[in-house]
């Protein structure tokens, strides 16, 4: 028995009880955090319980960064500890060039700054179990077919006819990029799909790839990447244009395994041994399903005090900055703090409208900023990571972070992944977007004349760097009110 009556409908919940639609990563975490603060919580999920279903299909490994993990700080320490045991540490990119070189580009200042590669499937299973353990009731197999936002009334179908669920308390829509709740609300969002897609390609156990790296094979108009799993295998993903001229998913699928094998030998010959051979890799490339890549931007996130959109339901982004989950988790952190302040459990006069409005005001500009940066990173990972001038600039960037000027400069990557938080001066996504543009101009100017990325520290002119930071970067930092000391690898 959960917190709510077991009858299917109608529900007689309280005014500060919360209904969540969607039991994915964000919905499950939101339930755990809300339960820790004393709210009654129920979740309706369209699909069956994934804990009873083997992992199949398009399951890109996720990158968990400190920014997202801060949402766990309201929970008992063991929850975060056990969650991180699901992942492997990733300290930087390993770029596999067309001439067979493997070049390392560090994410942070040194090995003490890293991310976690975590299976989406395993993480979702973990959070579902934590939500149940915390006392949330989860109802699987409930397909949303309608929403009356005035009520709020949700209409579901379990396969035997539609029925209504009336909610006295607010509804939080966490049902992903294709959100049924959002679509039922009318013309509130824009959806922009890339003409490219992706396919999963498993790297079996026994590969000699280094587990601490995000491996990327940039090939100009397509690229392959791989992240380590706990069992020694790697989850690989190939990104490519769906239709058109040249190498596309459509042409390879139509050409069959033999054509795919030839393509892989020409473009990714150095990766085939890690993929279990050309034939095995070609079969995956031809037969595995394609995933969709797109960006959702929503005009309105909050609908009075009755309903709000959270995570991908409000702002789905492409995966090329590894921040989709982290952005959603940061939504949870901000929203739950506002709910606790303005509409605590059992409140006689809960101000959900105020909480939701402030949540939208704080998060919307930042969600738009990380969406833009993720699209920029698509081009970077596909092409620029293999460019010699880009590699030199990245080396100078790391040298500057590790120099005596490091307290005045952090890379855009560090600001995105290790920034954030609710403390004064925290570097938000929009801050990172604005600062990153100025910083890259500075880094490229400092990299001029560098002959070898390995010599970046010796090449760095600290006096010139200090003058550029003072004249170009410091004024913008002051205007935005950021404090670089808040960028920390520790949640």
């Amino acid at each position: 028995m959960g917190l709510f009556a077991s009858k299917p409908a109608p529900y007689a919940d309280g005014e500060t009880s919360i209904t969540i639609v969607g039991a994915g990563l964000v919905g499950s975490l939101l339930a755990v955090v809300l339960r820790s603060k004393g709210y009654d919580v129920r979740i309706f999920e369209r699909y069956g319980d994934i804990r009873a279903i083997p992992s199949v299909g398009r399951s890109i490994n996720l990158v968990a960064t400190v920014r997202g993990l801060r949402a766990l700080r309201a929970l008992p320490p063991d929850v975060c500890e056990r969650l991180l045991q699901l992942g492997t540490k990733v300290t930087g990119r390993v770029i596999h060039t067309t001439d067979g070189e493997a070049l390392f580009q560090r994410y942070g200042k040194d090995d003490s700054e890293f991310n976690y590669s975590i299976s989406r499937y395993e993480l979702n299973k973990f959070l579902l179990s934590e939500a149940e353990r915390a006392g949330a009731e989860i109802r699987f197999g409930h397909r949303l077919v309608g929403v009356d936002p005035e009520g709020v009334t949700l209409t579901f179908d379990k396969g035997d006819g539609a029925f209504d669920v009336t909610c006295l308390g607010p509804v939080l829509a966490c049902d992903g990029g294709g959100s049924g709740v959002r679509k039922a609300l009318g013309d509130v969002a824009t959806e922009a799909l890339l003409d490219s897609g992706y396919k999963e390609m498993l790297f079996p156990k026994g590969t000699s790839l280094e587990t601490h790296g995000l491996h990327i094979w940039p090939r100009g108009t397509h690229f392959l990447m791989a992240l380590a799993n706990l069992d020694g295998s790697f989850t690989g993903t190939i990104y490519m244009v769906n239709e058109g001229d040249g190498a596309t998913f459509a042409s390879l699928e139509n050409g069959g395994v033999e054509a795919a094998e030839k393509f892989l030998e020409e473009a990714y010959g150095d990766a085939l041994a890690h993929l279990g051979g050309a034939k095995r890799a070609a079969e995956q490339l031809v037969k595995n399903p394609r995933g969709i890549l797109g960006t959702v931007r929503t005009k309105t996130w909050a609908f009075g005090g009755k309903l709000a959109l959270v995570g991908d339901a409000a702002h789905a982004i492409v995966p090329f900055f590894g921040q989709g989950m982290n952005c959603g988790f940061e939504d949870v952190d901000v929203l739950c703090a506002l709910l606790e302040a303005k509409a605590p459990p059992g409140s006689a006069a809960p101000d959900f409208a105020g909480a939701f409005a402030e949540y939208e005001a704080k998060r919307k500009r930042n969600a738009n900023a990380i969406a833009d940066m993720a699209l920029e990173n698509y081009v970077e990972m596909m092409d620029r990571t293999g460019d010699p001038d880009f590699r030199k600039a990245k080396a100078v960037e790391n040298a500057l972070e590790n120099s005596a000027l490091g307290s005045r400069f952090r890379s855009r990557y560090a600001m995105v992944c290790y920034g954030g938080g609710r403390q004064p001066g925290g570097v938000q996504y929009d801050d990172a977007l604005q600062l990153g543009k100025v910083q890259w101009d500075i880094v490229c100017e400092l990299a001029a004349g560098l002959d070898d990325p390995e010599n970046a520290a010796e090449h760095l002119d600290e006096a010139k760097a200090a003058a550029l930071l003072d004249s170009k970067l410091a004024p913008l930092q002051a205007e935005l009110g950021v404090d670089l000391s808040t960028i920390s690898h520790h949640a």
Side-chain angles (χ1 to χ4, degrees), residues 234-320:
F234 280 68
T235 296
T237 315
I238 187 165
Y239 297 90
M240 183 181 294
V241 172
N242 288 313
E243 312 276 347
D245 299 327
T248 67
F249 279 133
S251 66
L252 292 170
E253 289 163 357
N254 293 334
V257 172
E258 188 175 329
E261 204 170 331
K262 181 181 179 183
F263 163 77
L264 289 169
E265 286 170 346
E266 292 175 353
Y268 299 104
D270 59 330
L272 291 179
H274 304 295
L275 280 160
K279 184 174 182 181
R280 184 180 184 279
E283 287 175 346
Q284 293 187 77
L285 180 54
V286 170
K287 297 176 183 177
N288 284 359
R290 294 187 216 171
I292 296 170
L293 298 170
T295 302
V296 173
R297 300 178 196 261
T298 307
K299 303 169 192 172
T300 305
W301 293 21
F303 299 83
K306 294 291 188 178
L307 191 150
L309 306 175
V310 188
D312 283 358
H315 52 71
I317 64 176
V318 294
F320 304 113

Side-chain angles (χ1 to χ4, degrees), residues 61-62 79-89 116-127 228-231:
N61 268 30
L62 300 164
V79 175
C80 188
E81 214 172 281
R82 286 185 288 113
L83 185 153
L84 294 180
Q85 289 172 6
L86 300 173
T88 58
K89 294 180 181 179
Y116 294 88
S117 167
I118 301 180
S119 159
R120 175 188 294 274
Y121 172 70
E122 294 299 332
L123 180 56
N124 206 165
K125 288 200 305 181
F126 174 87
L127 290 172
N229 299 312
L230 284 176
D231 65 359

